[in-house]
Amino acid sequence: MSERSEATDIPLLQVQGVTAGYGAAPVLHGIDLTIPAGTITAVLGANGAGKTTLLRALSGLVPPTSGRIMLAGEEIGGTPVERLVRRGMAHVPEGRGVVTELTVEENLRLGGLWRRDRADAKRALDEVYQLFEPLARRRRANGHQLSGGERQMLALGRALVARPKLLLLDEPSLGLAPRVTGQIMALLRDLRDRSGLTVLLVEQNVRSALSVADTGVVLSLGRVVVTADAARLHDDEDLRHAYLGF
């Protein structure tokens, strides 16, 4: 969706010692992550490991109580969500959060409302329709008329209309047929390879996530316990049995 970023020594996303949670109960404990531009990182772990809370902390929905979060070398802790979007971060939460009363096209246009370059916003919309042909065919259908797979496409497409540099994607395969899951994972890989999109992917479907990821990060009880090459993590039986359950 955008030109591949030039190589740089500065990671697109850097997380240093982040602790965050809800009320007085921390969920994340001293999280450290380094995400290079143009890569897919799969965040894995059991239910309750802190995966969703991590994405919410990164996107400003759960303010960290300590630590630093840097996007392209600039600290973003405390930055309002709408400004994070303008700086190139998009978050697709679990549950395919589309506005069901609006049409497909109206939902997609929400993703580009803040953009001043209207011509490019229109190009971005057209590109999403090319990526997701079912949405192009149903552009005038309301959100509640869509299948689960179409809603996931719509949520992802709305994020892509904003032309993000960093996409935070939470459980995109939840409740979807394996064929649709495979299509979404293939699309993420294509966007990484073709346009340099950086993806932080939270996913319960471990095999599917590792098949497209460059790096796997395993959380357990709010802590990073493993960071490894995705292929190595997939092939290492000891690591898989200890942390991923297969």
Side-chain angles (χ1 to χ4, degrees):
M1 302 291 290
S2 61
E3 295 183 2
R4 179 178 286 273
S5 301
E6 296 182 0
T8 176
D9 293 332
I10 300 175
L12 182 61
L13 179 70
Q14 193 159 24
V15 181
Q16 298 177 337
V18 164
T19 296
Y22 306 93
V27 175
L28 305 177
H29 306 273
I31 297 290
D32 293 318
L33 287 176
T34 299
I35 311 296
T39 63
I40 298 175
T41 299
V43 180
L44 311 169
N47 289 334
K51 304 184 299 297
T52 291
T53 301
L54 173 61
L55 295 194
R56 290 173 62 84
L58 297 178
S59 63
L61 298 176
V62 177
T65 55
S66 64
R68 304 175 70 199
I69 302 171
M70 288 169 285
L71 184 65
E74 297 184 13
E75 189 160 0
I76 59 172
T79 301
V81 174
E82 61 273 15
R83 291 187 184 177
L84 290 178
V85 174
R86 288 182 170 86
R87 293 177 67 170
M89 181 185 291
H91 181 185
V92 181
E94 178 185 343
R96 302 185 281 278
V98 304
V99 183
T100 56
E101 296 83 7
L102 299 182
T103 66
V104 165
E105 182 139 332
E106 288 167 340
N107 268 280
L108 290 175
R109 290 185 182 278
L110 286 177
L113 280 180
W114 60 273
R115 302 187 60 206
R116 295 181 179 178
D117 187 340
R118 293 303 171 190
D120 190 57
K122 175 63 166 60
R123 283 193 295 272
L125 184 67
D126 291 340
E127 289 171 12
V128 167
Y129 282 137
Q130 291 172 11
L131 289 172
F132 299 113
E133 291 184 3
L135 297 185
R137 294 194 297 267
R138 308 204 66 190
R139 66 179 67 195
R140 304 204 184 283
N142 286 343
H144 66 81
Q145 297 174 296
L146 305 182
S147 68
E150 289 168 339
R151 289 192 190 190
Q152 185 62 71
M153 292 177 192
L154 181 55
L156 181 53
R158 186 175 60 192
L160 294 176
V161 167
R163 294 203 187 279
K165 299 174 184 176
L166 173 64
L167 177 65
L168 309 179
L169 190 54
D170 195 355
E171 301 285 8
S173 75
L174 188 66
L176 300 184
R179 176 182 60 83
V180 179
T181 297
Q183 291 172 344
I184 289 174
M185 294 301 170
L187 173 65
L188 295 178
R189 181 168 50 203
D190 181 60
L191 290 171
R192 175 199 61 192
D193 295 343
R194 181 163 53 86
S195 62
L197 179 67
T198 305
V199 181
L200 193 59
L201 170 65
V202 164
E203 182 54 70
Q204 286 282 4
N205 189 329
V206 174
R207 289 184 176 87
S208 182
L210 291 178
S211 73
V212 299
D214 301 286
T215 303
V217 174
V218 181
L219 296 186
S220 179
L221 300 177
R223 292 179 170 84
V224 175
V225 292
V226 176
T227 299
D229 178 86
R232 173 178 170 259
L233 187 55
H234 182 276
D235 294 338
D236 190 317
E237 288 190 19
D238 292 336
L239 286 177
R240 294 202 327 264
H241 292 326
Y243 297 111
L244 302 177
F246 76 97

